[in-house]
Structures are given as structure tokens and as C-alpha cells.
Amino acid sequence: MTCDDIRALLAARADGELGAADSLRMEAHLGTCAACTDIATRHDAVVRALRQGLRAPALYMKAPVGLSERVMHAVQVEAQAKTGVRHEAPVARARAPRRGGSAWQRLAGWLITPTRGLGLAAGTLAAVALGVGVLVGRPDTVALTAHDITASHVRALLGARETDVLSSDRHTVKPWFNGRIDYAPPVTDLATRGFPLIGGRLDYVDGRPVAVLVYRSAQHPVDLYVRPEGGADTEPALRTERGYQLMVWRSAGMGYWAITDASADVVQAFARAVRGG
């Protein structure tokens, strides 16, 4: 197990998701590599800080007094509008609903009324998120997919299942996918460009099967994940995920994700070869 492998598996180790074999190999490496031990220690400290921060009492808030009565009243008002049956107002301690708008709009107004407790909770959560580098907001789907593909690539290398079909002939690799996935991935012979085809395999990314074409550059494997993707064509963009280099682009309705543990110039040259540049 290399140092790059260790760094790629730190998150799985922190979440208790490593298998017994990988755990033993990782602990054996950490016992002999001071650099990886230091990285693992700092990573564990960040994870512990995040978990402790998320358990902070300030993140939890009791429901305001009278909330249940206001919710029930809003439901009753909505039922009244449909049946014409009048319902009594909620108990006096509950705040009367604001005039105007539907019952559900008034309910939404009650539920989002700022409170001191809610403001404190939000502030604490934001501080924890910023402290550990977590981005709160709209998920970055490209980053999530890059994470999944990197994990898939590492699993293939560590599990000795680099290929399901072993062949340098694209006329053998391409038909192998027939009936296993619902699309036909383009398979190109790139041996003359320095990237011989090794074979292919089937893997899962974002919860669905995806074709993986396996190439090689010297001693470095280069995996090309190909799947249908909507949207306009895009130029290749370089990403780095846990020490691995990825090139991502979209062409003719297909998304391409090339990943390797080699240097960035290798994966960039590979992307140019696939695109015929």
C-alpha cells in the first residue's frame, strides 16, 4: 500500500468503512511511515472536531411555546376553507395568525420566525463548518462524482480487479459491454499514442453502472469512465482528488472522466489522445 493509497482511504478509515484486509495493510504502513502517520493524525483530529461541534447543545432548539397549537389551527383553517365548518381559535397563549395569505403561507411565516436559539444554532453550525472546511450550500455534483470515481479507481487497484475483460483489442472490449449496460461506450485504440488498451470493467458511480476502459501509461494505470451525460459539450478540465489527477469533459452526449496516479501532464496527454487531438 502506497502513501497515495493511504491518503485516499483516510475518510473510509475515519468512518469505519475499511475492510479487515485494508485495515491491516493501512496500519502496517502507518507503523513504518512517519509522514502518513502525521497526516492520518491531523485528519482524525479534524473529524473529531467536526463530530464534537455537531453535538454542541447550541445546535438543538426546543420548539417555541404554542407552536403545536398554531400548526393545528392552520390545519383547521385549511379544512374550514374546504368544508365550510368553523373551528375555534387556539388557546390564548398561542399567537394569533397574521392576516392575509393562505393558511399554509401563515404557517410558513410562523415556522421561520427568527428566535434567539435558532440564531445561535445557525451561528455555531457556520463556525464549525468554516473551521473544518465544509462548504454549506448547494452540493457540487462534479466534486461528488469525482470523489466516487476516485474511490472506484482505488478499489479496483487494491482489490486486484482492474479489469473484467482483459484484452488489448477494442473489438473484444466494446462488445463485452453489450447487455451489461444500456449504452455503447466508444472504445479507442491508443497504443500509438503511448496508452495501450488493457481491457475494461463494469463499475458503479452515482448509483448506476458505468463502463470503465482501462489503459496504461508506462507502469501507471489510466481509467476512463464513460457514461451518458446531458448538456452541452465541454472542454477537458483538470481536477485533483486525493492525490489522483482527473480530466473531465463532455462530448456528443457522453461524459468522460479520466483518472490516474501519474502526473497531470500524463492525464492531459491522454485526454488529447482520446479526443483525437
Side-chain angles (χ1 to χ4, degrees), residues 53-265:
L54 293 176
R55 287 196 297 266
L59 296 180
Y60 298 88
M61 183 187 71
K62 287 187 176 181
V65 174
L67 176 63
S68 60
E69 289 88 348
R70 292 198 296 273
V71 170
M72 291 303 300
H73 179 65
V75 173
Q76 292 169 352
V77 170
E78 189 72 15
Q80 176 185 350
K82 294 181 178 179
T83 64
V85 178
R86 184 175 181 179
H87 296 272
E88 295 297 328
V91 294
R93 65 175 180 173
R95 185 168 49 192
R98 291 193 292 268
R99 297 182 180 275
S102 70
W104 297 115
Q105 289 172 327
R106 293 196 295 274
L107 175 59
W110 288 323
L111 295 178
I112 64 174
T113 299
T115 66
R116 181 179 180 182
L118 182 58
L120 178 59
T124 303
L125 180 59
V128 172
L130 290 174
V132 298
V134 177
L135 177 62
V136 178
R138 183 178 179 181
D140 184 346
T141 55
V142 175
L144 293 175
T145 300
H147 180 277
D148 283 354
I149 285 177
T150 303
S152 166
H153 180 70
V154 172
R155 284 196 305 269
L157 297 180
L158 295 181
R161 179 184 163 268
E162 191 174 2
T163 61
D164 290 326
V165 52
L166 181 63
S167 177
S168 60
D169 184 357
R170 66 187 181 92
H171 297 294
T172 299
V173 175
K174 184 179 178 69
W176 182 87
F177 290 103
N178 292 344
R180 291 180 169 87
I181 51 177
D182 57 2
Y183 63 96
V187 181
T188 307
D189 184 356
L190 303 176
T192 59
R193 303 290 297 270
F195 301 98
L197 178 66
I198 303 302
R201 72 174 183 273
L202 198 62
D203 217 318
Y204 283 82
V205 175
D206 293 338
R208 63 163 295 170
V210 61
V212 186
L213 307 176
V214 183
Y215 293 85
R216 195 167 296 280
S217 173
Q219 298 302 313
H220 298 278
V222 182
D223 283 353
L224 179 63
Y225 291 72
V226 185
R227 65 178 188 176
E229 288 187 9
D233 292 358
T234 59
E235 291 296 314
L238 180 65
R239 299 181 65 93
T240 299
E241 180 76 21
R242 293 184 287 178
Y244 292 86
Q245 305 298 325
L246 295 91
M247 287 293 286
V248 184
W249 72 95
R250 189 164 50 238
S251 177
M254 288 288 180
Y256 295 84
W257 299 72
I259 179 171
T260 184
D261 60 352
S263 60
D265 60 332

Side-chain angles (χ1 to χ4, degrees), residues 1-56:
M1 185 173 284
T2 67
C3 293
D4 284 341
D5 296 333
I6 295 295
R7 294 168 188 176
L9 293 174
L10 284 176
R13 174 175 177 265
D15 293 337
E17 296 178 352
L18 281 184
D22 285 341
S23 294
L24 290 174
R25 295 167 66 188
M26 175 175 279
E27 294 306 322
H29 181 94
L30 292 177
T32 60
C33 181
C36 286
T37 299
D38 179 61
I39 291 173
T41 301
R42 287 188 282 114
H43 180 275
D44 291 345
V46 171
V47 172
R48 284 195 300 272
L50 175 60
R51 289 173 176 168
Q52 292 172 357
L54 293 176
R55 287 196 297 266

